[in-house]
Amino acid sequence: MSSDHAPEPKNFAPKEPVNLDPPKDDPITVDELAKCDGTSSSHPTYVAIKSRIYDVTGNKMYAPGGAYHSKDASRALAKSSLLPEDVRAEWEDLEEKEKGVLGDWETFFGKRYNIVGRVVGGERGKM
């Protein structure tokens, strides 16, 4: 596998049980999400999938310099891509197989990370 592809999730159950908080539906703007990139201790590290925001703080995979943090990475996850141009929210026009992969990623994240809100504003998160 080339370095421009992320591994697809296969096993959804975490190795260690995770106690998750009830999902939140707090509105978080695109600008606020952009600040949640792990570079400041005053902001958590977030990743969004289909406008749902997950708190991935503490996971080295989403540390500063990573492809997905502080953005809606739906398209990149669906395509198993690390290319910067694929890290965007648009996913509806993807092929069914890619939509299935995105659904797998939603399940994967949902079993590991707290849902802290939803993206509002910008192109994808209009209220």
Side-chain angles (χ1 to χ4, degrees), residues 28-47 53-59 62-64 69-70 116:
I28 298 174
T29 66
V30 172
D31 290 339
E32 187 63 28
L33 177 61
K35 296 175 188 174
C36 299
D37 63 0
T39 60
S40 170
S41 61
S42 64
H43 289 90
T45 306
Y46 289 163
V47 171
I53 302 171
Y54 299 85
D55 186 343
V56 298
T57 303
N59 185 320
Y62 308 105
H69 65 274
S70 75
V116 295

Side-chain angles (χ1 to χ4, degrees), residues 58-120:
N59 185 320
K60 293 177 186 175
M61 285 288 298
Y62 308 105
Y68 301 147
H69 65 274
S70 75
K71 299 172 184 70
D72 189 319
S74 297
R75 189 174 200 85
L77 289 166
K79 296 171 74 69
S80 299
S81 173
L82 295 173
L83 297 173
E85 60 267 25
D86 287 333
V87 181
R88 54 192 170 109
E90 295 80 17
W91 59 271
E92 292 91 348
D93 64 328
L94 295 170
E95 296 179 17
E96 289 306 312
K97 180 180 178 188
E98 293 170 321
K99 289 178 181 179
V101 171
L102 182 57
D104 288 348
W105 278 112
E106 278 187 289
T107 301
F108 182 88
F109 273 71
K111 291 186 178 289
R112 287 167 174 73
Y113 306 111
N114 286 313
I115 298 171
V116 295
R118 62 185 162 78
V119 180
V120 296

